[in-house]
Structures are given as C-alpha cells and as structure tokens.
Amino acid sequence: MNKKILLWSITAALAGFLFGFDVVVISGADKKLQELWQSSDSFHGWVVMGMALWGTVIGAIFGGKPTNKYGRKKTLIVIGVLFAFSAIGSALANDPYIFALFRFIGGIGVGTSTIAAPAYISEIAPANERGKLVAMYQFNIVFGILIAFLSNYLLSGSGENDWRWMLGVEAIPAILYILFAMKLPKSPRWLLSKSRLEEAKEVLTIINPTINVDEQLKAIEGADEKPDASETIFIKKYRFPLTLAFLIAFFNQFSGINAFLYYAPRIFEEAGLGKSTALLSSVGIGVTNLVFTLLGVFLIDKLGRKTLMYFGSVGYIVSLSLVAMAFFFNWTGMAVPIFLFIFIAAHAVGQGAVIWVFISEIFPDHLRASGQSFGSATHWVLAALIPSLIPYLFSHPSIGAGAVFLFFTAMMVLQLLFVAFMMPETKGKTLEELQKILLKK
C-alpha cells in the first residue's frame, strides 16, 4: 500500500477519535451533572445529555453541503475547530443551558465527520484496500471511546469539579488534529467534480505513480456522468442505494449501541454493581470494543461486509437476549457486564466495522456526500432519540431495562433478515463498478 495513502487515511480517520471521545466522555459526568443542576430525568435526558446528539443530527443533515461545496479537506479542518471550541466551552459552563449549547456545537462536529472523513478516505483508497482504510475511521471512534472511558476513570474523584476536566481535556487532541488535517491533499474525485482537472491529476499521480492517470480520469468521469441540476439522491434512479443507507443506519441504532455507550455506568449500577466498579467495567467495554474493531478492520476486505454483518447480527441476538433475561430475572454480579462485552464485540466486528465503509461505497461521486449525509442523518436522528429516552424508560415501573433490551433483540432479528435478503457485497469492487451494479437494482 502507498505509504502516503495510509498516512492520509489515518489523518482523516482521526476525526473518528474525536467523535468517539466526544460521544462517550459525557457518560462520566452523567449523574454528577444531574445532581449539580437538580434536573428531572426528562430534562437531563433531552437537554443536558441529549443536546450533543441533536447537534449531531444537524451536522449529519447539513454537513454534506460544505463537504460538497468547499471540499472534504476544509470540512475536516472545521470539524477539528468545532470539537476544540465545544470541549473548552463545556468545561467552563456554569448552567445547563450554556453547557447544552457547547455540547450541541461538538455534536455538529460529530455529525459532519461521519460524512467528510469516510467520503475522503473512500475517494483516495484503492478498491482492494478501501474497506480497511475507511474502517480505520471506526477504529478511531472506538479508540476515542476507550480513551474517554479511561480518562473518566482516572479523573473521577480528582475534585469537586472533576467533570470539567473530563470534558475539557478533549481540546488537546482536537487542536492536534487541526494541525494534521491541514497537511492533507484535496480529494481527487472532489477536484474532478469541480472541473479542477490538473489538480486532480497531481493527486492521482501521488496516489499511484504506476497507473495511466488519463485512463483513470476517463474511467471516473465516464462512470459519474454530469447530471442535470435537479438530480438528487431522492430520485427513482437512486432508490436502492438510498434504501440500503437508511436500513443499515436504522438497524445500527436499534441495536441500542449509543444508548448503552452513553449510559454504561448507569446500566452497570442498575445491574447491582458499585459506582467505581461500574466505571471500571466501562473501561473494559472500551477495551473489548477496540480489540474486536481491529478484528473487523482486518477481516473486512478478506471476508467482506456482508459476512461481518452476519457475525454481528447473530452476536447481537444472543447477547441482547441474555442481557434482557438478566434484568428480568435479577441476575447480579458480573453477568450483565459479561453479556454486554459480548454485545460490544458483536457490534465492533459487524455494524461498527461496516456502516461507514458501506455507506461511503454505494453512492456515485457527485452524490456521495449527499448520500453519506442521508445515511448519517438517519443514524443520528435515532441516536438522539433513543439515548434521550433511556433515563425515562429505565425508571418507568411498567417498562424497565429488561423490556428495553428485549426490544433491541427483536430489532436485530430484523437486521439479520435485511443482511440475508437485501444487502449486496461490495468488497473488492471499484466505486465505478459498484455504481453500475447498484443502479441496475
């Protein structure tokens, strides 16, 4: 593999580290913030905890516009600025509304990163390496999650305002990321979409000095014929890839993954673990996530996207049904953490490794950012709704944690059917080949 492609891919994928850190770091401050501001479960769930996710929805819906207009590189730099600003502001906030505003800004960065980073990497990567390179974005997400859990554990109890340090420390990697992103070249396919032919040639020559650049340019331009101004991802021609993007994002969130990551310490405490044990178990979740994401990255170009989704779906069904039974039958001790470790492993090797790779592959160049935006928006609307409801659902006497996890189990049975009967395999095919295949469906 060209070392420069690897370096650029890792740099772009570091947006995922900030994503993972930002999403999970709030879990360490969850109960402290509720006690500090005396918030009701509803206000705490929807405003204090959930506002970042609503920012993510906005970033996912509208992030495709700057990604298309100003390019993947510039958008990635702005994402780093948003994360740094959010981290500092959240750490200094003195009331729940200001806190929620800065978390909302960070959420915009998260949502936009799910568009710009996978799109950028997929457009510079060779077909036979594209899966693992784009999946590095997911690896960095889970690495960020692990570091956030570990950081929370180490900073917990360091003082009355330890939550401020938990949130503020994110500014350090955010500033470093901005500096790294400034060194990236522009995406050659984006340059072509803006008719900047000579710049595109320069980047393509760096990516692969041995190929005939003119022939590659013809292949890209031939597959991605310039559409009329009214063409969008919502016309009949693109119905199949649009449906695929919607369903994979829909099932990703109805596994309960974000609800769990946001409330891991609370879930462990509900299962009877002490506070410090619950925080330490959260670190174990981060380690499990990282190890099995590495496995997914290693296998995605060998076994393919569809095979990994089969593994993940079966793992989800087994682990979530066990978690539901643990709550229904009051199993105590380490039963729930062990079952949730299995759940995280299933997610990491399946949906976690596949989702951003798959969505970045199934749309043509001129609509990739728009398609990525649609899939990300679906993902994040649900990611905002589901965790925001968790405190209420868990505390409701006629619902409770067991019923919630049983519902997630049923949704994963439906995901297994989606994988078996609808999801195409995309491994090893160029973006141009995939465009021809998927538009025939």
Side-chain angles (χ1 to χ4, degrees):
M1 188 191 303
N2 186 314
K3 289 182 180 178
K4 288 185 177 179
I5 296 177
L6 181 61
L7 179 61
W8 297 339
S9 298
I10 291 171
T11 300
L14 287 172
F17 176 88
L18 297 174
F19 163 174
F21 193 100
D22 191 84
V23 166
V24 168
V25 71
I26 189 70
S27 68
D30 171 20
K31 288 196 169 184
K32 293 177 183 179
L33 292 175
Q34 190 168 11
E35 292 168 5
L36 176 66
W37 290 317
Q38 295 296 297
S39 305
S40 67
D41 282 346
S42 179
F43 181 88
H44 181 67
W46 286 94
V47 179
V48 177
M49 295 293 286
M51 193 55 68
L53 287 170
W54 291 114
T56 302
V57 171
I58 298 300
I61 292 172
F62 297 106
K65 295 185 182 298
T67 304
N68 269 335
K69 185 174 182 179
Y70 302 110
R72 286 58 162 141
K73 175 183 176 177
K74 287 182 179 178
T75 305
L76 288 171
I77 293 170
V78 171
I79 287 165
V81 173
L82 291 173
F83 279 123
F85 188 60
S86 170
I88 294 168
S90 300
L92 297 175
N94 285 316
D95 71 72
Y97 297 100
I98 297 297
F99 179 85
L101 174 63
F102 280 106
R103 289 289 296 160
F104 180 83
I105 291 169
I108 293 174
V110 171
T112 308
S113 81
T114 61
I115 300 166
Y120 179 85
I121 300 169
S122 72
E123 290 175 352
I124 66 168
N128 63 327
E129 305 280 358
R130 189 176 59 245
K132 68 178 67 172
L133 289 176
V134 179
M136 283 198 301
Y137 175 71
Q138 176 65 21
F139 169 77
N140 274 280
I141 292 172
V142 301
F143 185 49
I145 288 170
L146 172 60
I147 296 301
F149 278 139
L150 185 59
S151 174
N152 285 349
Y153 177 69
L154 293 174
L155 291 170
S156 178
S158 60
E160 185 180 349
N161 292 316
D162 56 358
W163 65 271
R164 295 186 186 277
W165 291 103
M166 290 179 185
L167 292 157
V169 74
E170 184 186 353
I172 298 171
I175 291 168
L176 290 173
Y177 173 73
I178 294 167
L179 298 175
F180 293 150
M182 287 178 176
K183 300 293 186 181
L184 292 172
K186 294 180 174 68
S187 160
R189 284 180 165 83
W190 178 79
L191 289 168
L192 277 176
S193 73
K194 300 300 179 184
S195 300
R196 292 160 66 172
L197 185 61
E198 292 306 314
E199 290 178 78
K201 280 185 176 182
E202 288 178 19
V203 179
L204 286 170
T205 301
I206 296 171
I207 288 173
N208 192 343
T210 65
I211 63 163
N212 186 313
V213 174
D214 290 323
E215 287 184 7
Q216 187 171 9
L217 287 173
K218 287 179 183 177
I220 294 171
E221 291 180 315
D224 198 26
E225 295 174 3
K226 295 294 182 291
D228 61 55
S230 64
E231 186 169 79
T232 72
I233 57 170
F234 298 104
I235 64 176
K236 185 178 180 180
K237 180 179 178 182
Y238 301 112
R239 184 177 297 167
F240 185 61
L242 195 72
T243 303
L244 292 174
F246 173 81
L247 287 175
I248 197 166
F250 176 89
F251 286 123
N252 183 285
Q253 284 306 300
F254 272 99
S255 69
I257 182 63
N258 263 38
F260 172 62
L261 291 176
Y262 257 58
Y263 294 103
R266 183 182 292 237
I267 291 170
F268 289 142
E269 285 185 50
E270 289 264 346
L273 298 183
K275 183 178 178 181
S276 62
T277 307
L279 275 172
L280 189 57
S281 294
S282 299
V283 177
I285 289 296
V287 172
T288 304
N289 205 355
L290 186 72
V291 170
F292 281 88
T293 296
L294 274 173
L295 181 61
V297 171
F298 176 74
L299 294 175
I300 194 166
D301 284 319
K302 297 180 183 295
L303 301 182
R305 291 61 160 151
K306 191 163 181 169
T307 301
L308 293 189
M309 286 291 287
Y310 274 124
F311 289 154
S313 297
V314 173
Y316 276 145
I317 293 165
V318 171
S319 58
L320 286 169
S321 59
L322 287 170
V323 172
M325 286 191 288
F327 279 106
F328 280 129
F329 299 114
N330 296 315
W331 297 345
T332 57
M334 291 302 293
V336 169
I338 289 170
F339 299 153
L340 284 170
F341 288 172
I342 298 171
F343 165 76
I344 285 292
H347 173 80
V349 82
Q351 268 275 12
V354 171
I355 180 171
W356 305 118
V357 175
F358 187 71
I359 296 176
S360 74
E361 294 175 322
I362 59 178
F363 292 98
D365 291 346
H366 69 280
L367 291 174
R368 180 162 296 110
S370 298
Q372 197 89 17
S373 179
F374 174 79
S376 296
T378 302
H379 176 280
W380 288 113
V381 166
L382 294 172
L385 286 171
I386 296 170
S388 296
L389 290 169
I390 288 297
Y392 170 78
L393 294 173
F394 276 18
S395 63
H396 195 284
S398 62
I399 302 174
V404 172
F405 283 107
L406 186 61
F407 172 76
F408 290 148
T409 305
M411 296 307 295
M412 291 304 93
V413 174
L414 294 180
Q415 176 179 273
L416 183 59
L417 297 175
F418 159 70
V419 175
F421 298 107
M422 275 193 70
M423 184 180 176
E425 181 54 75
T426 59
K427 76 163 183 172
K429 298 180 178 67
T430 68
L431 296 176
E432 290 69 41
E433 289 169 342
L434 286 172
Q435 182 176 334
K436 292 175 183 177
I437 294 168
L438 294 175
L439 295 188
K440 290 179 181 177
K441 296 285 187 179

